[in-house]
Amino acid sequence: MSDFHQTGIVSTLHRFHTSSLDHLERQLAEFAKKRPITLVLPALYGDVKRDPMKRIVANLKQTSYVRQVVVSLCGADRAGFDHTAELVSTLPQRVRIVWNSGDRILHLCERLEENQLTVGPEGKGRAVWMALGYVLAGETDYLVALHDCDIVTYDREIIARLCFPLASPNLNYKFCKGYYSRVSDRIYGRVTRLFIGPLLRAVETVVGDTPLLAYLSSFRYPLAGEFSMTCDLARMMRFEADWGFDFGLLVEMYRKCSVKSICQTAISRFPPETPMRGCSRCRSISRGSSSAPWPRKA
């Protein structure tokens, strides 16, 4: 845990080590009896062929509270689809693959275009939209969680902490954005640090302090690809089809949901304790170790 302060108007749920992973999973198993959970995995076939996806599958085999796993597959031919199906066939959950490059999905997209309903180019946004359409059509789940498929250091705590704020009947959240510390001897989170943060501050100097900018600035890592939302809320969402998906989702949440129902949560542990040096003002901290047990992308 790199800090424990609240920033901005979005509630931050820190990892205080007060509950073990086993304890969280036991509670989630009870919650899921009345609030079923589906996990959506938007994946390029290139990700499926790499080791992180195998690690994700291995961890999900032990995640009993997840009722269903939906893989939204992009960039795969028939052989790639068969390979993906074989990889996820060992999961104990109900598994479905939405093959976005398949003939039936492409034909559906063509029909939508013919009726002036643009779904955008093939990408993460359209993959999530297709997968959520399938999930919502079933009308059996309470919440849906989503994370990328290129997390090298994936473990069960990521999905548990994403789902808990929404699955718990003791909390009143409808959307949860995951984040994790990028403190290391390498520069992680560069787009957020060097582009998104300065851009928001530049816009604020031009248009002034507005509620939307205050809201967006409250997120630690707005471009992180991990989040969960209730299915009722998902039915109202408009998703960006291109590379602006993650940031556009936050803006859409602001339009459709009370900020009191939105939170962000630390989904992974901080790196092992080692001496740290650096300026807290610029948050440039160097560490003596390059190991990264928090989520690290391939």
Side-chain angles (χ1 to χ4, degrees):
M1 185 184 67
S2 54
D3 59 69
F4 51 89
H5 64 286
Q6 296 289 323
T7 55
I9 60 176
V10 175
S11 298
T12 302
L13 308 181
H14 296 282
R15 188 181 184 277
F16 285 123
H17 303 278
T18 55
S19 297
S20 66
L21 176 59
D22 290 340
H23 180 61
L24 282 178
E25 290 183 328
R26 286 195 299 270
Q27 292 185 83
L28 282 167
E30 289 298 316
F31 299 155
K33 293 177 181 178
K34 294 185 178 180
R35 298 186 169 192
I37 299 170
T38 282
L39 174 64
V40 170
L41 300 176
L44 290 169
Y45 180 57
D47 293 331
V48 174
K49 295 187 291 184
R50 303 171 76 174
D51 289 339
M53 186 64 176
K54 298 176 183 177
R55 182 184 179 97
I56 290 172
V57 170
N59 278 273
L60 289 179
K61 289 180 181 178
Q62 306 173 57
T63 311
S64 60
Y65 56 86
V66 174
R67 186 189 72 86
Q68 177 178 233
V69 175
V70 178
V71 180
S72 193
L73 181 64
C74 296
D77 55 15
R78 183 70 204 194
F81 173 83
D82 292 339
H83 175 220
T84 304
E86 180 181 1
L87 176 64
V88 300
S89 63
T90 58
L91 291 174
Q93 297 90 352
R94 184 176 187 266
V95 179
R96 292 294 182 268
I97 301 176
V98 178
W99 184 17
N100 292 286
S101 302
D103 292 338
R104 287 189 292 179
I105 294 294
L106 294 178
H107 178 63
L108 173 61
C109 292
E110 290 175 0
R111 291 194 62 184
L112 290 171
E113 294 285 350
E114 291 172 359
N115 289 275
Q116 288 77 49
L117 296 172
T118 302
V119 295
E122 184 174 0
K124 181 178 180 181
R126 194 167 88 176
V128 173
W129 186 75
M130 288 291 183
L132 287 180
Y134 172 79
V135 173
L136 297 177
E139 298 184 344
T140 56
D141 295 298
Y142 176 78
L143 72 92
V144 57
L146 182 146
H147 62 69
D148 294 332
C149 295
D150 58 350
I151 304 175
V152 176
T153 52
Y154 184 87
D155 60 28
R156 303 196 323 269
E157 187 169 9
I158 291 177
I159 182 65
R161 293 191 175 275
L162 269 182
C163 293
F164 190 87
L166 275 63
S168 173
N170 301 316
L171 302 174
N172 193 32
Y173 294 114
K174 296 181 179 179
F175 176 78
C176 177
K177 181 76 168 179
Y179 77 92
Y180 41 90
S181 175
R182 263 72 164 197
V183 178
S184 175
D185 59 348
R186 300 182 183 182
I187 304 177
Y188 292 107
R190 293 182 293 275
V191 179
T192 294
R193 298 177 190 277
L194 303 179
F195 177 67
I196 295 297
L199 177 62
L200 290 175
R201 291 192 292 271
V203 173
E204 185 176 354
T205 62
V206 175
V207 303
D209 186 13
T210 66
L212 176 60
L213 291 175
Y215 161 80
L216 292 173
S217 299
S218 299
F219 289 96
R220 304 297 181 89
Y221 294 96
L223 301 185
E226 296 76 30
F227 67 86
S228 61
M229 69 175 72
T230 63
C231 288
D232 286 343
L233 183 59
R235 288 186 177 90
M236 300 186 294
M237 291 295 106
R238 297 186 304 179
F239 295 99
E240 299 286 344
D242 54 20
W243 293 102
F245 171 78
D246 295 311
F247 198 79
L249 177 63
L250 296 182
V251 176
E252 185 70 1
M253 283 296 165
Y254 184 79
R255 294 178 64 247
K256 298 290 179 60
C257 185
S258 168
V259 175
K260 294 180 180 180
S261 299
I262 298 173
C263 70
Q264 59 182 335
T265 183
I267 57 176
S268 188
R269 64 191 178 94
F270 189 61
E273 294 299 327
T274 54
M276 294 187 295
R277 306 182 303 278
C279 172
S280 60
R281 180 177 177 81
C282 65
R283 299 178 185 176
S284 175
I285 304 176
S286 62
R287 298 186 63 86
S289 171
S290 61
S291 61
W294 67 96
R296 181 163 54 88
K297 299 300 182 68

